[in-house]
Structure formats: C-alpha cells, structure tokens
Amino acid sequence: MKGAATRARTAPPRTLVVGGGILLASVIVGLFPTLFAPYDPNVFDYTALLQAPSLAHPMGTDNFGRDVLSRVIHAYTVDMQIAIFATVVPFIAGTIIGALVGYAGGWAEALFGRVVDAVITFPFLVLVIAIVSVLGPGLVNMYIAVGIVGWVFYARIIATEIKVQKRLDYAAAGRAMGYTHLRIIFRHLLPNAITPAIVYWMTDMALAILLGSSLGYLGLGAQPPTAEWGVQIADGKNFMATAWWISVFPGLAIVLTGLGFSLTGDGLAEVLRTKR
Amino acid sequence: MHLASFIARRLLQLIPTLVFILIMVFALVRLLPGDPASAMLGDRALDADVVRINKVLGLDQPIVVQFVVFAKSVATGALGNSITLKVPVAELIATRLPITIVLTLMAAMIAVLLAVPLAFVAATRRGRMADSAVRGAFQVGLSMPVFYLGLILLTVFGAQLRWFPVGGYGDGFLDHLHHLFLPALTLALSLSAVLMRNLRAAIIEVIDAEYVQFARAKGLRPAIILLRHVLRNALISTVALFGLSIGTLLSGAVITETVFAIPGAGRLMIDSIYARDYPVVQGLTIALAVLVSLTFLLTDLVQAWLDPRVAR
Amino acid sequence: MTAPSPSDTLLEVRHLTASFGRARLTAVNDVSFSVQSGEVLGLVGESGSGKSVTLRSVMGLVAASGAVTGQVIWQGRDLLQMPEPELRKVRGGQISMIFQEPMTALNPVLPVHVQIEENLRAHTDLDRRGRATRARELMDMVGIADAARRLRDYPHQFSGGMRQRVMIAIALASNPRLLLADEPTTALDVTIQDQILKLILDLRDQLAMSVVLVTHDLGVVAATCDRMAVMYAGRIVETGTVAQVFEAPAHAYTRGLLGSVPHAGTERSMLLSIDGTPPPLGALPDGCAFHPRCEFATPPCQLQRPDLAALSPGRSSACLNRDAVIAAGSPI
C-alpha cells in the first residue's frame, strides 16, 4: 500500500486532517478526563442546582448540582470505549466469517445471504434492544448484543471483496504453489480485501456512539449515575424549558465526536481510493 | 410482458425469506429466558399456577407442534392475544402499525423533498461554497442522534413556539398529520443526509456522462436535459439506497415514538419485549418483516421502471 | 434562414482559441478554417491535438472552465456571441454532432424513439404522429431493419454498428445542414467502419449536407473527405484537398503521418514512424511545436513559430521547410 516514491506527495485531504484532529483530542480527553474536568462528575452540590452556564460552571449544573462540563468530559471515556468495544468484536468476527464464506462460495454463501437478508431487513436497534432486555441493561450486555448481530455488516463487505480477490491471478498462483486454503485466505487475500472494512469501521464507530447513547437515553445502556452522553440527555429531558444546558451540551459532544469519526472515514476512503 | 414476470419472480423470492423469518422469530422468542407465565404472575407465582398458564398458552406441547400451530395461525392471521394487554394481537397491530407507517411515509417524503434539490445544488456547484455548505450541514445531520434532535425540535417548536403539539397522536386525519410532523421531520433529517450524499455523487457522475453532452448537442432545453436525462439516471442508485435504509428508518421510528409519546408499533415493540409478551413480539416482528420485504419489492420495481436494464 | 453566401461557405471559423483550467492550457490555438456546402472536411491529428475540442467549441459545448475566443460564423452570425437560447436552436437543428462511443452517448434508460423524438420536438413543429412517422423514416434512412419495432428498443439491445446508426438518425432528425462527426468510426470494427462511412457519404448526398469529420485515421480521410486540415498541438499545420495533401504533403508532420500508414496492395516500402510523442500542452517547445520530432528541422525552426501560410488558394502549410518536404515527395 505504500505509494510509489516517485509520486509527488500531496497533502492529506482536509477531511482526514480535521476528523483526525477531533478524534485525537477525543481520545486524549477520554484517556485523561481528570486532567481536563474541573469538578468531580458525581459530586452533588445542593447550593448550585440548575445553574445556567457561567464562569464557574461553563456548561452549567444539573438538577443535582453536578457540573455538566465535568460530566461531559468524563463521558468521553465511556463513549469512546463504546465506540471501540461495540465495533471491535463485530469487525473481527465479521471479517473471519466473511472471509471464509466469501472464499467457500456455494451453499455456505447462499445460506449466508439469507441470514444477511434477514438481519438487514430488521431494524438493528430493535434487535439490540431485544437482546439487551433479555440479558439485562448495562454496557457489557450492550457490547454482547451488538456483537451478536453487528458482525453481519462486516462479513458482507469482506465476503464481497474476498470473492473479487479470489479470482485474481495471485490467488491462483497461491493455489498452484500448494498453499492451504486458510493460508491463502488470511495471508494473501485478506490484506487486500480489508480496506473497505476499515473504512466502514470508522462509520461504524460513529454509529456505535449513536446506538450507545440511544440505549443510554432509554435506560438500557450505561446506567445512571455514570456520565454518558445519552444518559445525560435523558437526565435533562424534563428540564429542557428551564435548564436546557443539561441536555444540549452532551448532545453537541455526540455530534462533534461523530463528525470526527465520519470525517476521518471519508478522508481515509479518499486516500485509499487514490492509492488503489 | 417483462414487468409482470419480473414482479411474479420477485414475489416468489419473497416466500423463502418470509419462511426463514418465521422460523427465526419462532426460535428466538422461545429462546428468551424468563417465561411469560412468571412474567405475568410475578416472582411469587406458584408452580401449579405456572403449569396452568403454560397449558393455556400451549407452551407445554413439543416444540415442533408449537411451530406448526404457530405457522398455521400466522397464515390465517390469528396471531393470538397479547399476554399483558389481553387484546388480540392482530387488533393491536392493526391500530398501532398504521401510525408508524404514516410516520415513516411522512419522513420519507420530507427526506426526498430535502435531499433532491440540495443534491442538485451541491452537484452543480461542486467544489464551491454552496457545495461545501450543503455537505457540511448534512455531515452534522448524520452525526446527530435521533432522540437529541427530536428533543430539541420538540422543545423549540412544540413547547416554546407552540407551532406543533408536544407529542401524542391527536384526533382526525389533519390533526394526526399535525402531530406527526415534528417526529417525521426528525426522522427525515438523517435519512435525507444519506440520500443526498448518494444522489449528489450520482448526479456528478451523470452530468459528465457522454449522453448528457449528446443531449446538449441536440439543442434541448436545460430543463428537459435535467429531468429526463440527468435526474432519471441519477435516481437509480438512490432508490436502491432508499430501500436499504428502511431498517434504519424503523429503528429511528422506535426512538422518535418514545421521545414524542406516539402510540405506534415501535413503542409497542419495545414495551412488549420488556414484558415478555411473546404473541405481540412474534406478530409484530412478522408484520414488520413483511412490511420491509414489500418495501424492498417496491423499490426494486421503481428501479426496474427507471432502468430497463434491470428487468431482464 | 438566409441563403448561403455566394462563395458557398457554410461555416467559417476564425482564430478560434480555447483554453482550460487554472493553468490556462490552450487546447485549440488560433484555428481557422471554413466548410463549403456539400463538402466533407477532414480534421486530422493524433489524440491531444485539439481536434475534438475544436468541434465542441464550435457548438459551444465546452466545459464551463473553458475560455473560448474567436469567431464562428454560421449564416452570417457569430455562434460564440449568440445568446444561449438561440444557440440551442442551432444545435441539433442546423448543426448536429455525433460522438465516438455510441454506447455512452446514448442514454441507456430511454428507448430509442424517445431520443429521436425529443430532437424533433425541439426543432420542428411536427405533431406526435408526425414525429413518430419521421422517426420511422429516419431509422429506415440509416439502414436499420424492422424500424417500427426497433424504435421501442433500448440502446443496449443494438449492436455497436447499429447504435452508431441510431446516433446518426438522432443527429439528422431535423435535417441539419452541417454534421460534426467526432471520430464516429474509431470504436467500431473495420468492416462496420466502412458501412458507417458509406452511410455518412450517402446521407451527405441525399440531404445536401456538409460534414466535418474528425479522425486520426488517414485511411478514413482518404475514403471520405474532400478537403482536409491537419492539426498538431492545438494548431492547424496544413490544409488542402485530400488529393493535393496526399500527393505532396507540405508539412513534415503530415508527411510523417502519411508514411506511417501501412498500405496493402502497393509495393513494399519502409514504414516511416515519427519518433517521440506530442508535447504536453503545458510544455510546448519554443518555435515550431513539432521540431523536436522533425527530420526536416533546421535551426530557425526552434526560434520562430511558423505561420499558416498559403501556398495556393485553399492550400496552406505552417512549415518553414515546406519546399524541402514537398520535394521529398509523398511516402505513399
């Protein structure tokens, strides 16, 4: 994938730079929230209930006197975790299954196609909620639920790519040299097939945050008093008229982080497209 | 006739998918831990009572028999009674599902009305300010969670400005539409972002195509070139995308119905899952699956109408 | 419509220049030629010589980033100065254009009769039945069998040669006086090429039409054109009747082109080939653009760009050493 050294190096696309910058900042804040948060996110302060944004509390306080800014910052940890944990398992599982199915073809592929149809047909959120309601609310169960159904999207992408790669000459060369199928799939075909999955992963992480915060809002994801953006928005939903800041700021954080992921994904796609 | 055989073929393809869904629904619901009897009677149910309820619900029969009974009842439309609400499932679906359908249809219409002109603006002014502005706005739209947007719209346009009611469904057709407008708008915004991105790319591709040049060389008026040559070809891929987005639309409907307190099928689904109300979950899942499959069929038909190369 | 001028010149292009992009690359540089009524003018050159852009500039079909100057006189009016609504009437109605690749030039999702009839709708007053009849006539005229049924078909249901005929039918629907053909046979098999060229010539006779035929293939020029103009790096370097130019080329490039065409049925001689490739538009050499590849080049060729000078009426060359070239004779 390294570009030819003779080709003049052009600057990376703006989307990648901006998106990457946002992501980097988000990761740093998520890793070291205490460095950035002025207050403890869980401390109640009855003397400062429902305060509008001010110098002391730049994002105001909520109905328990907790500093909204600190909670938003600490929520970075939770939500960035969600982005990663809710996508990594589907990515890996989906890639493996998709590679095997795409290579095998035949009835495995036909059956796979049916499963994919059924899962995609159905609203994803409803499936996840169904599984979470069985397992019980909480982040870990949410990861499990997403893992159970989310791998399908990656598998579909990989299976298509593997099918294409399989027909190329180097795959035939591998077979002619007597390599085992598994070796061909994972050492030769997959590295070339994986780029669309990586691009999708970026989008998926943005979607994971949306899903995670939706479940947090519904009370099925992160549980209060954990600072998570969806939970925060739910906390503030009854105060929209009087203390809009409780819900509005966490929402902005979601939008910003989501933008970070999708811009990075777009930028990555552009870079990879020109290199192909 | 090409079209008739195409429709017939697609309808036949529907059947295995539906059967598969039936099996999946049946299996999944049976696999859920926590039986409905305990859910109904609570933790302190006596064993004898549980056995009795199971018998009433037919849950003590062997699994294959249960499936056959299940399949038969689905075919005849007798979907059983809701365990929690004590009314026939079919009736529940008949009252709640249309609301969700209206909501999603409204959302779809608004999304198209937003996406098409904006996609044109962005495509024809590619690289310039208008293009970046449109694309930027839609990036933000895509990153915004449905419940957040709904909450904000509800607060601003419902509670503060009082242009729209704050939730609920209302009475009478026009009132229904009035109530559903904000939720539909919420849903529409993220869908229109996805559609716009795809349509913009498609228009850009088409505008550079040789047949558009040839159309210009024929001296046709720009409006005709736009409608007959550019738009028709660009819509093809977007229609396919539209069909694929139905699942997302329905997921969004669930959340929107929660935020705006609308008595639709989405909320019913969530509540029933919580309450282990098997018959409702089953019936609703099948109804939704049929709905989605029909939507796919519809979008395929539209695609075939737009692009004769499809219906071979 | 005004009657053609006494000298029978249908189209006159004067000092046409077209440049593109931020770098202002000049694809067409000070090109002048004229088309007489009833004649087939060949515009010859390698790819990148600017011949396609010339055609498109005449019709005003250049991309938005292009800047076109000069004059294109058609029936006493300058097309480049014409407001767009009037230009649209000329396009397709009086001057028509056909493209190289019929598969991409025809809209794949519309049946053929729609694509023919929209031309008729834009340029004639025929009613629906009249248009349908005319569409059938056109399909017959271009030699498509079973015209009535084929009208309902889509482009992908025709073979390559048939599609080109359909494109011709569309272009000729409103009886234009001038047909601009951009490499109409390049994408076709050799046998089909002959058929299409013959069709174009027949139609030229039937409809009293003129044709500007852009091509890189001298065989096509020999078979169909009356006069020819050779282009190199955006400029015209030689003009004349086909007979004159083939017998005694007056520009080194033309001679090179003629020499590189294999001929069956004549005595065997060395195939000339022109070393090197045409220069990129952004890096044209000083003086004559062809001199780095020219075997007749002399020192003045590097210093001064030769003007297109007339040798005799209708015959010109932009070569400082034209006498040497003429003396060297024709390679065919």
Side-chain angles (χ1 to χ4, degrees):
Chain A
M1 275 301 180
K2 298 287 177 196
T6 51
R7 230 199 324 240
R9 264 206 296 141
T10 46
R14 225 167 2 147
T15 46
L16 192 55
V17 170
V18 174
I22 297 177
L23 282 188
L24 192 59
S26 307
V27 167
I28 293 178
V29 172
L31 283 175
F32 307 108
T34 42
L35 279 184
F36 297 93
Y39 298 85
D40 183 314
N42 293 314
V43 156
F44 292 4
D45 183 355
Y46 291 107
T47 63
L49 297 180
L50 297 174
Q51 304 247 314
S54 60
L55 274 179
H57 296 280
M59 289 188 185
T61 63
D62 67 3
N63 54 320
F64 290 120
R66 297 177 290 193
D67 177 47
V68 174
L69 174 62
S70 306
R71 283 179 69 73
V72 167
I73 289 179
H74 276 267
Y76 264 97
T77 319
V78 180
D79 281 288
M80 291 301 279
Q81 269 180 24
I82 291 179
I84 297 176
F85 294 145
T87 52
V88 140
V89 169
F91 184 102
I92 296 179
T95 301
I96 296 178
I97 297 179
L100 292 172
V101 168
Y103 191 81
W107 62 264
E109 206 189 333
L111 179 65
F112 176 69
R114 289 270 146 267
V115 171
V116 167
D117 279 351
V119 172
I120 291 189
T121 297
F122 216 72
F124 189 66
L125 181 70
V126 176
L127 284 173
V128 170
I129 290 180
I131 300 177
V132 166
S133 71
V134 163
L135 299 172
L139 278 180
V140 173
N141 291 338
M142 186 179 81
Y143 298 148
I144 296 177
V146 175
I148 292 178
V149 276
W151 60 269
V152 171
F153 298 92
Y154 290 94
R156 191 165 66 121
I157 294 176
I158 294 282
T160 319
E161 277 298 309
I162 290 279
K163 269 182 74 171
V164 166
Q165 295 291 325
K166 186 181 165 195
R167 291 205 195 100
L168 297 181
D169 287 338
Y170 73 93
R175 283 198 294 280
M177 278 200 263
Y179 292 152
T180 62
H181 288 301
L182 280 181
R183 184 179 168 140
I184 295 179
I185 297 177
F186 289 103
R187 293 254 341 212
H188 298 273
L189 300 184
L190 196 55
N192 287 312
I194 205 155
T195 28
I198 294 184
V199 173
Y200 180 72
W201 186 35
M202 288 288 138
T203 317
D204 199 25
M205 284 200 268
L207 290 175
I209 293 186
L210 289 181
L211 182 71
S213 58
S214 301
L215 286 179
Y217 179 84
L218 293 172
L220 296 171
Q223 298 292 300
T226 314
E228 189 271 316
W229 294 323
V231 171
Q232 282 187 272
I233 297 179
D235 285 343
K237 74 170 185 270
N238 293 320
F239 298 96
M240 283 300 281
T242 49
W244 53 266
W245 48 88
I246 307 179
S247 292
V248 167
F249 286 115
L252 293 179
I254 297 180
V255 174
L256 185 65
T257 317
L259 269 178
F261 280 113
S262 59
L263 285 177
T264 308
D266 279 353
L268 214 64
E270 219 179 295
V271 165
L272 293 171
R273 194 176 25 232
T274 50
K275 280 211 171 146
R276 265 193 164 195
Chain B
M1 241 244 83
H2 271 312
L3 210 55
S5 66
F6 181 68
I7 298 178
R9 239 183 313 141
R10 296 292 281 108
L11 278 173
L12 280 176
Q13 277 175 357
L14 220 57
I15 297 180
T17 315
L18 287 178
V19 168
F20 182 71
I21 290 176
L22 272 182
I23 298 178
M24 291 296 304
V25 168
F26 181 78
L28 281 175
V29 171
R30 291 290 175 281
L31 286 175
L32 290 178
D35 61 290
S38 314
M40 274 172 68
L41 299 171
D43 286 330
R44 303 168 63 201
L46 298 170
D47 277 346
D49 288 332
V50 173
V51 169
R52 181 173 53 89
I53 299 278
N54 277 342
K55 205 172 172 125
V56 165
L57 294 174
L59 291 171
D60 55 340
Q61 306 275 20
I63 208 95
V64 180
V65 175
Q66 284 191 45
F67 182 71
V68 172
V69 169
F70 172 66
K72 261 208 302 198
S73 61
V74 168
T76 53
L79 295 160
N81 291 349
S82 159
I83 295 174
T84 45
L85 296 172
K86 312 269 192 279
V87 292
V89 171
E91 196 180 292
L92 265 181
I93 295 181
T95 40
R96 312 270 292 233
L97 192 58
I99 298 178
T100 305
I101 294 180
V102 171
L103 177 63
T104 37
L105 276 180
M106 275 182 77
M109 274 196 296
I110 298 177
V112 168
L113 283 175
L114 278 177
V116 172
L118 286 173
F120 255 118
V121 167
T124 49
R125 284 162 184 57
R126 176 172 33 151
R128 285 188 265 166
M129 272 254 295
D131 183 19
S132 305
V134 168
R135 292 168 69 196
F138 276 120
Q139 278 276 25
V140 172
L142 275 173
S143 312
M144 194 172 292
V146 172
F147 62 90
Y148 183 60
L149 183 63
L151 201 57
I152 292 185
L153 287 179
L154 182 61
T155 309
V156 172
F157 293 104
Q160 304 287 46
L161 290 175
R162 303 191 156 268
W163 285 358
F164 294 94
V166 245
Y169 190 49
D171 262 317
F173 187 63
L174 278 182
D175 202 26
H176 287 328
L177 290 182
H178 192 217
H179 279 266
L180 287 181
F181 182 75
L182 279 186
L185 183 62
T186 313
L187 269 184
L189 282 175
S190 45
L191 179 63
S192 61
V194 169
L195 291 180
M196 195 238 54
R197 196 161 52 169
N198 180 286
L199 189 58
R200 173 186 171 277
I203 292 177
I204 287 177
E205 207 181 292
V206 166
I207 276 187
D208 285 338
E210 277 255 297
Y211 55 83
V212 173
Q213 295 298 313
F214 188 48
R216 287 181 68 202
K218 280 197 267 189
L220 301 176
R221 275 181 295 134
I224 295 190
I225 297 182
L226 212 64
L227 282 173
R228 188 182 287 151
H229 292 270
V230 175
L231 194 57
R232 191 168 168 150
N233 292 62
L235 274 179
I236 294 174
S237 68
T238 309
V239 166
L241 183 64
F242 191 84
L244 289 173
S245 307
I246 275 290
T248 329
L249 208 56
L250 286 174
S251 291
V254 166
I255 297 185
T256 317
E257 287 176 13
T258 309
V259 171
F260 288 87
I262 297 176
R267 266 230 307 205
L268 179 64
M269 179 63 115
I270 302 299
D271 295 338
S272 308
I273 290 177
Y274 256 135
R276 310 267 187 279
D277 197 337
Y278 289 174
V280 178
V281 174
Q282 273 179 8
L284 209 50
T285 307
I286 295 169
L288 283 177
V290 170
L291 195 67
V292 173
S293 302
L294 284 177
T295 310
F296 276 174
L297 181 62
L298 204 68
T299 48
D300 274 355
L301 287 179
V302 172
Q303 255 194 299
W305 172 66
L306 282 177
D307 184 357
R309 296 172 289 184
V310 167
R312 300 272 216 134
Chain C
M1 274 188 255
T2 50
S5 61
S7 60
D8 258 351
T9 303
L10 208 52
L11 177 80
E12 189 163 347
V13 176
R14 296 183 196 151
H15 306 295
L16 184 66
T17 305
S19 48
F20 297 89
R22 261 173 254 145
R24 288 287 138 210
L25 293 178
T26 310
V28 177
N29 206 329
D30 197 18
V31 162
S32 304
F33 61 89
S34 64
V35 184
Q36 312 296 94
S37 82
E39 79 168 347
V40 180
L41 173 69
L43 205 53
V44 187
E46 295 166 281
S47 34
S49 55
K51 41 194 211 299
S52 290
V53 180
T54 305
L55 279 194
R56 287 171 202 246
S57 306
V58 165
M59 291 268 264
L61 284 181
V62 175
S65 63
V68 181
T69 57
Q71 291 179 310
V72 177
I73 311 291
W74 171 261
Q75 301 194 329
R77 300 192 58 186
D78 182 5
L79 294 181
L80 294 181
Q81 304 298 327
M82 212 183 258
E84 183 75 6
E86 291 186 49
L87 193 55
R88 276 204 294 276
K89 295 215 196 77
V90 172
R91 281 190 212 133
Q94 298 167 31
I95 308 180
S96 269
M97 186 158 164
I98 57 178
F99 292 63
Q100 175 176 333
E101 185 45 90
M103 193 60 238
T104 52
L106 296 175
N107 192 331
V109 306
L110 294 176
V112 160
H113 75 95
V114 170
Q115 306 196 42
I116 297 181
E117 286 175 30
E118 65 180 351
N119 186 332
L120 294 171
R121 241 228 191 113
H123 299 291
T124 66
D125 291 323
L126 294 171
D127 65 354
R128 203 140 65 104
R129 188 176 297 168
R131 289 199 290 269
T133 317
R134 177 92 180 114
R136 259 199 310 275
E137 274 175 24
L138 286 163
M139 294 283 272
D140 284 333
M141 190 163 73
V142 299
I144 296 183
D146 201 7
R149 195 177 57 85
R150 296 292 264 167
L151 276 174
R152 309 235 153 256
D153 284 343
Y154 293 86
H156 64 262
Q157 293 171 279
F158 291 83
S159 69
M162 288 293 179
R163 277 199 288 269
Q164 194 56 285
R165 290 176 194 261
V166 169
M167 183 149 65
I168 294 175
I170 296 175
L172 299 184
S174 306
N175 262 330
R177 304 277 330 265
L178 176 63
L179 177 67
L180 304 177
D182 190 354
E183 308 237 30
T185 53
T186 308
L188 302 172
D189 289 337
V190 175
T191 45
I192 313 281
Q193 270 188 28
D194 282 344
Q195 290 177 16
I196 298 295
L197 290 175
K198 187 167 175 315
L199 175 64
I200 292 180
L201 286 180
D202 286 341
L203 292 172
R204 187 268 307 253
D205 293 332
Q206 275 182 42
L207 305 174
M209 191 174 65
S210 302
V211 181
V212 176
L213 186 63
V214 161
T215 178
H216 62 273
D217 188 338
L218 286 171
V220 168
V221 174
T224 54
C225 299
D226 303 316
R227 287 200 306 129
M228 62 188 278
V230 181
M231 284 188 74
Y232 187 77
R235 290 178 193 276
I236 296 192
V237 295
E238 182 164 358
T239 64
T241 66
V242 170
Q244 287 171 333
V245 176
F246 273 51
E247 260 175 42
H251 191 287
Y253 176 60
T254 315
R255 190 164 181 278
L257 275 184
L258 286 169
S260 59
V261 178
H263 297 276
T266 54
E267 60 177 69
R268 285 157 54 116
S269 54
M270 283 283 288
L271 263 190
L272 297 182
S273 70
I274 315 180
D275 284 332
T277 51
L281 289 178
L284 290 176
D286 294 325
C288 172
F290 185 63
H291 83 254
R293 306 166 69 189
C294 181
E295 56 172 358
F296 293 88
T298 54
C301 297
Q302 296 177 29
L303 302 173
Q304 175 207 355
R305 187 168 48 72
D307 288 327
L308 190 62
L311 304 170
S312 57
R315 182 97 172 86
S316 57
S317 160
C319 183
L320 295 177
N321 300 308
R322 62 181 71 92
D323 299 319
V325 176
I326 294 175
S330 174
I332 52 166

